[in-house]
C-alpha cells in the first residue's frame, strides 16, 4: 500500500470525527481503502509466515505448516 493511500485513510478518519462527517462517496472510498489496507497487511503477514521455519529438538529446520480446521 502506498503512503498516499495511508495518508488518505487518515485524512478521512479525521474528517469523520468532525461535526460535518463524511459524504456517502467519502464513506465508500474509506471502506475501499480500509479493505485494501487490511488485504495488504494480511498479504505481508502470510508472506512472512511462508518463510518461517521451526527448529526441532534435534536442530532440524521444519517449515511452518498451516493449521487445519
Amino acid at each position: 500500500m502506498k503512503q498516499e493511500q495511508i495518508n488518505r485513510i487518515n485524512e478521512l478518519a479525521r474528517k469523520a470525527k468532525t461535526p460535518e462527517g463524511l459524504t456517502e462517496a467519502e464513506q465508500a472510498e474509506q471502506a475501499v481503502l480500509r479493505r485494501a489496507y487490511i488485504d495488504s497487511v494480511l498479504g505481508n503477514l502470510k508472506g512472512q509466515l511462508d518463510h518461517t521455519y521451526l527448529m526441532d529438538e534435534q536442530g532440524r529446520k521444519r517449515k511452518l505448516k498451516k493449521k487445519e480446521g
Side-chain angles (χ1 to χ4, degrees), residues 4-18:
E4 298 155 352
Q5 293 171 313
I6 294 170
N7 292 343
R8 182 64 178 154
I9 290 170
N10 292 330
E11 181 182 322
L12 289 170
R14 281 190 297 275
K15 186 176 179 190
K17 294 177 185 177
T18 64

Side-chain angles (χ1 to χ4, degrees), residues 3 10 14-15 21 29 38 45 48 62-63 66:
Q3 186 61 42
N10 292 330
R14 281 190 297 275
K15 186 176 179 190
E29 179 186 7
I38 291 168
L45 179 60
Q48 188 173 8
R62 346 182 244 120
K63 191 150 180 79
K66 269 189 174 181

Side-chain angles (χ1 to χ4, degrees), residues 53-62:
Y53 292 86
L54 299 175
M55 296 281 281
D56 63 13
E57 294 81 22
Q58 289 78 31
R60 295 179 297 221
K61 289 184 182 179
R62 346 182 244 120

Side-chain angles (χ1 to χ4, degrees), residues 16-27:
K17 294 177 185 177
T18 64
E20 67 186 45
L22 297 175
T23 64
E24 286 187 31
E26 289 171 331
Q27 288 174 353

